[in-house]
Amino acid sequence: MTDQLDLFGTPPTPTGRPAPGRQCPPVRQRGQRSTAGNPAVTVDVLAEVHEGRYGLLDDTDRVVVFEDSDRVRMALDEDAVHQLLAQGYAQRRPLYDTVSCYHGVVRRPVLGLRLTKRGRSLLARWSALRPLD
C-alpha cells in the first residue's frame, strides 16, 4: 500500500497531530530578540503549545519553556505566546494543573498552556501549507 498524501502533498503524521519543525523551543539568551512576526515561528509555537512545552511562571505571566518535568527556563518566543493568548488561540490550563518547577535554584509554581479550539484549527490549517519552491 502506498502512502497517501493529503490535499497539500504532505504525508499524514502517525499520531494525526501536526509536529513542530524544531526539536526544542529556544530559551532566551542575553541580548536576543523575539521573532514573533515570523509565520514559521508561529506554526512552531502553536505546535509546541499543543504539546505542552510552554507555561506561565507564577503570577508574573512570564512565559517559560519546560526543559524537564521539574525545570523551566525563560522562553525566547514569549511575545508570540502572549499574542496567541490575547487573540484566543491559546489559554491557561485550569489551576489544578499547576506544577512546581525549578526556575534557576528556586522552586516556583508554573501553569501550563493549551490550545483552544480556534488554535487547534489554525494549527491544522497552517501545518498543511507548504512553501513555494
Side-chain angles (χ1 to χ4, degrees):
M1 176 181 224
T2 62
D3 291 333
Q4 292 182 346
L5 300 177
D6 65 358
L7 180 64
F8 297 99
T10 57
T13 58
T15 60
R17 294 187 314 185
R22 54 191 181 186
Q23 292 292 89
C24 179
V27 295
R28 186 178 295 271
Q29 303 293 328
R30 288 184 180 255
Q32 233 177 359
R33 298 190 128 184
S34 176
T35 56
N38 187 347
V41 170
T42 305
V43 173
D44 286 338
V45 169
L46 281 166
E48 290 160 359
V49 168
H50 188 61
E51 289 182 354
R53 293 186 185 175
Y54 287 106
L56 296 175
L57 187 66
D58 53 37
D59 293 333
T60 61
D61 283 344
R62 299 297 309 259
V63 178
V64 292
V65 175
F66 287 98
E67 288 186 332
D68 294 327
S69 60
D70 67 338
R71 189 162 295 280
V72 294
R73 288 191 162 222
M74 300 308 289
L76 175 65
D77 299 321
E78 183 174 18
D79 296 335
V81 173
H82 278 297
Q83 285 297 320
L84 293 174
L85 286 166
Q87 295 175 4
Y89 294 116
Q91 66 183 5
R92 300 166 191 236
R93 289 191 176 274
L95 287 178
Y96 59 80
D97 281 343
T98 302
V99 294
S100 179
C101 295
Y102 282 107
H103 179 251
V105 294
V106 179
R107 228 180 224 290
R108 291 192 166 164
V110 177
L111 184 60
L113 298 175
R114 65 181 177 189
L115 291 180
T116 61
K117 184 178 179 182
R118 289 180 56 208
R120 288 189 302 271
S121 65
L122 181 70
L123 174 61
R125 283 193 315 261
W126 281 19
S127 297
L129 296 176
R130 291 181 33 183
L132 297 174
D133 293 332

